[in-house]
């Protein structure tokens, strides 16, 4: 039973970003922008809005731009101040409601290993993990929904959403036992089941609240799917000694971890932006006509 509330979050950002090569050859994939913000900023903002106080970003080689992005940019701020660009100044200020820390994953050994790298920072308290491949828009931030669940159950809780049958092999999938509201009891967590073998359509969507016992399993976890140390495999082991719930969170999820989803998200976020909505709609009507003809 845990009395401590969730205050710390891990954001793994050490992946090689191969799906976006060559764009990610010299730039971290987490810095690719949706409209005018890097994807990782959406994730950091969700953590802040959920009440997280400390974030540790697990980085790797070639990821220094992330640290610069969340740093104080003195010269830039002075220049914007001088030219009275106060709206832009607000946008470039580093987040003040949270402390961001960094640690390097020295070898690309997988998500489970990346989370394990932050164990000393987390210590003996429940914590959150947010992955950058999914952005969620919701009335109550996705992570906050999971934190509210944790307040009630004091157990680990993993965010899930339904996906199409032909997509289950891209995700961690749960085998649910029963459902109460949006909460599932889980028989098993399976990482990327082969097509046609998934126990359900409920996919893990990159938002986790975990108890610190997960580190006992990550410590010993052997490589799984894709030859990597998988977080899902350690969660399944944790599930065998403690209850680990899944929670079907409310809100729309945008897949920015692959090219098509990234472009779709860019278009939709562009349409949500007052300044460009009209022009963008006009442009889309034009090109739809043009491409429908050819
Ligand atoms: C990771 C997790 C997987 C989860 C997915 C969500 O996979 O291992 O369980 O469903 O994130 O985006 P990755 O996409 O890093 O291969």
């Amino acid at each position: 039973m845990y009395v401590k509330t969730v205050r710390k979050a891990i954001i793994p950002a050490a992946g090689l970003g191969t799906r976006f090569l060559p764009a990610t050859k010299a730039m971290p994939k987490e810095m690719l922008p949706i409209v005018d913000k890097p994807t990782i900023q959406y994730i950091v903002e969700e953590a802040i809005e959920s009440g997280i106080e400390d974030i540790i970003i697990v980085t790797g080689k070639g990821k220094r731009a992330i640290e610069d992005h969340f740093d104080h940019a003195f010269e830039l701020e002075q220049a914007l101040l001088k030219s009275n660009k106060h709206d832009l100044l607000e946008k470039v200020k580093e987040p003040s409601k949270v402390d961001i820390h960094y640690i390097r994953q020295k070898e690309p050994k997988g998500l489970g290993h990346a989370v394990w790298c932050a164990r000393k920072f987390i210590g003996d308290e429940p914590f959150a993990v947010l992955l950058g491949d999914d952005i969620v828009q919701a009335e109550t931030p996705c992570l906050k929904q999971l934190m509210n669940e944790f307040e009630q159950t004091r157990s680990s809780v993993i965010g899930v959403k339904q996906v199409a049958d032909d997509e289950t092999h891209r995700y961690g999938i749960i085998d649910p036992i029963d459902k109460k509201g949006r909460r599932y009891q889980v028989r098993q967590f399976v990482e990327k089941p082969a097509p046609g073998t998934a126990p359900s359509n409920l996919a893990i969507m990159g938002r986790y609240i975990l108890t610190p016992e997960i580190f006992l399993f990550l410590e010993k976890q052997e490589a799984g799917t894709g030859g990597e140390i998988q977080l899902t495999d350690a969660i399944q082991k944790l599930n065998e000694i403690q209850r680990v719930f899944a929670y079907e969170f409310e809100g729309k999820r945008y897949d920015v971890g692959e090219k098509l989803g990234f472009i779709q998200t860019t278009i939709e976020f562009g349409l949500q932006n007052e300044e460009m909505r009209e022009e963008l709609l006009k442009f889309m009507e034009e090109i739809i006509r043009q491409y429908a003809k050819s």
Side-chain angles (χ1 to χ4, degrees):
M1 198 69 163
Y2 291 88
V3 285
K4 290 178 190 157
T5 51
V6 176
R7 302 181 301 128
K8 297 178 182 173
I10 303 175
I11 302 181
L16 297 174
T18 44
R19 284 183 205 142
F20 287 91
L21 280 170
T24 47
K25 189 178 167 198
M27 178 171 77
K29 74 164 179 180
E30 295 77 10
M31 289 303 294
L32 293 173
I34 301 288
V35 185
D36 56 4
K37 262 191 241 175
T39 54
I40 193 166
Q41 191 173 338
Y42 290 93
I43 307 300
V44 166
E45 286 175 2
E46 181 186 322
I48 295 172
E49 282 160 21
S50 302
I52 291 294
E53 296 164 18
D54 282 279
I55 292 174
I56 188 159
I57 301 181
V58 184
T59 66
K61 233 184 172 161
K63 301 278 185 170
R64 204 163 291 159
I66 298 176
E67 292 185 43
D68 289 341
H69 181 71
F70 291 112
D71 198 4
H72 179 56
F74 181 77
E75 289 90 351
L76 178 61
E77 290 188 17
Q78 289 303 310
L80 293 172
L81 198 64
K82 256 193 206 154
S83 49
N84 278 323
K85 294 194 169 134
H86 296 286
D87 49 339
L88 282 181
L89 185 61
E90 276 315 301
K91 286 187 183 172
V92 303
K93 276 193 175 156
E94 81 273 21
S96 56
K97 288 194 193 128
V98 76
D99 284 322
I100 303 184
H101 315 257
Y102 300 89
I103 189 157
R104 275 192 174 218
Q105 181 187 24
K106 296 192 180 68
E107 290 165 85
K109 286 188 178 172
L111 176 61
H113 180 258
V115 169
W116 182 78
C117 288
R119 67 199 179 284
K120 289 185 186 155
F121 169 81
I122 297 296
D124 188 27
E125 50 182 288
F127 63 99
V129 178
L130 299 101
L131 306 187
D133 285 350
D134 302 291
I135 295 176
V136 182
Q137 282 186 338
E139 225 162 273
T140 305
C142 179
L143 186 67
K144 180 73 185 157
Q145 295 179 46
L146 299 190
M147 286 161 73
N148 291 343
E149 270 296 291
F150 179 80
E151 294 284 314
Q152 289 179 35
T153 62
R154 303 275 155 195
S155 300
S156 298
V157 53
I158 316 298
V160 295
K161 265 249 182 277
Q162 301 269 357
V163 295
D165 286 345
D166 59 356
E167 288 197 340
T168 49
H169 67 281
R170 291 182 45 210
Y171 298 96
I173 300 287
I174 67 161
D175 181 2
I177 303 172
D178 72 357
K179 186 183 180 189
K180 212 170 165 200
R182 292 176 170 273
R183 183 192 302 160
Y184 290 88
Q185 277 198 52
V186 182
R187 186 176 296 116
Q188 225 184 337
F189 293 83
V190 194
E191 181 64 10
K192 302 199 177 83
T197 68
S200 79
N201 283 35
L202 291 161
I204 298 174
M205 283 304 169
R207 300 292 184 278
Y208 311 74
I209 304 288
L210 296 167
T211 56
E213 284 75 21
I214 192 73
F215 293 118
L216 302 175
F217 298 105
L218 284 174
E219 173 99 37
K220 293 179 283 186
Q221 188 60 52
E222 305 209 331
T225 310
E228 297 190 340
I229 296 175
Q230 296 292 348
L231 180 58
T232 307
D233 294 343
I235 290 174
Q236 172 49 27
K237 300 228 175 83
L238 182 66
N239 189 35
E240 286 162 18
I241 60 150
Q242 280 181 1
R243 287 184 310 184
V244 179
F245 291 108
Y247 184 80
E248 199 172 353
F249 57 82
E250 174 273 320
K252 183 158 181 186
R253 166 243 166 192
Y254 296 87
D255 181 2
V256 297
E258 50 97 31
K259 278 182 268 195
L260 179 62
F262 189 89
I263 290 170
Q264 288 167 332
T265 309
T266 301
I267 294 171
E268 197 167 332
F269 280 34
L271 290 171
Q272 289 172 10
N273 184 311
E274 300 277 321
E275 278 171 35
M276 61 174 86
R277 180 182 303 140
E278 289 300 309
E279 286 295 315
L280 186 55
L281 273 173
K282 238 191 273 167
F283 170 74
M284 284 165 68
E285 279 165 18
E286 266 169 41
I287 52 166
I288 286 167
R289 243 179 281 133
Q290 188 185 332
Y291 279 83
K293 266 190 240 153
S294 56

